[in-house]
């Protein structure tokens, strides 16, 4: 378990504040678009391969417009570390 996970588990006030901020972020039109795009790509993958990409450790990566290993996708340090779409 990561340090931030442990922190938010033990600090209710900080956890509530983070939930409020996350709710605002996730309600933005660009976030909604990203989620719907990701959901569509996952559904297409399931239809083509007959299994969930998560079962193979894959996630949709918006930066490279492809399914990549979750560790690769989550391991980047924010937008600055991402490959740019061409």
């Amino acid at each position: 378990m990561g340090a931030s996970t442990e922190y938010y588990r033990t600090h209710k006030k900080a956890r509530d504040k983070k939930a409020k901020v996350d709710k605002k972020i996730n309600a933005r039109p660009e976030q909604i678009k990203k989620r719907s795009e990701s959901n569509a790509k996952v559904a297409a993958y399931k239809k083509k391969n007959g299994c969930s990409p998560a079962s193979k450790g894959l996630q949709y990566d918006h930066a490279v417009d492809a399914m990549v290993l979750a560790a690769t996708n989550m391991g980047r340090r924010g937008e600055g570390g991402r490959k740019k779409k061409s």
Side-chain angles (χ1 to χ4, degrees):
M1 183 177 336
S4 61
T5 303
E6 192 64 39
Y7 176 80
Y8 287 120
R9 280 189 175 181
T10 57
H11 294 81
K12 183 179 176 3
K13 190 174 179 181
R15 183 174 63 241
D16 292 344
K17 183 177 179 180
K18 182 181 181 334
K20 187 176 178 182
V21 170
D22 286 349
K23 185 176 180 179
K24 263 189 189 176
I25 291 169
N26 288 324
R28 290 189 295 198
E30 60 269 22
Q31 285 300 112
I32 294 170
K33 183 181 174 190
K34 269 187 168 183
R35 267 197 318 276
S36 64
E37 183 181 340
S38 179
N39 290 341
K41 296 287 183 172
V42 168
Y45 184 93
K46 282 182 183 179
K47 187 174 183 178
K48 181 179 177 185
N49 297 304
C51 66
S52 169
S55 68
K56 295 186 178 190
L58 300 174
Q59 289 181 335
Y60 176 68
D61 185 354
H62 292 86
V64 295
D65 191 31
M67 291 289 178
V68 297
L69 287 174
T72 303
N73 198 23
M74 297 296 225
R76 294 196 184 96
R77 292 279 183 198
E79 293 296 324
R82 291 179 169 270
K83 294 178 183 175
K84 302 295 179 196
K85 288 185 181 179
S86 51

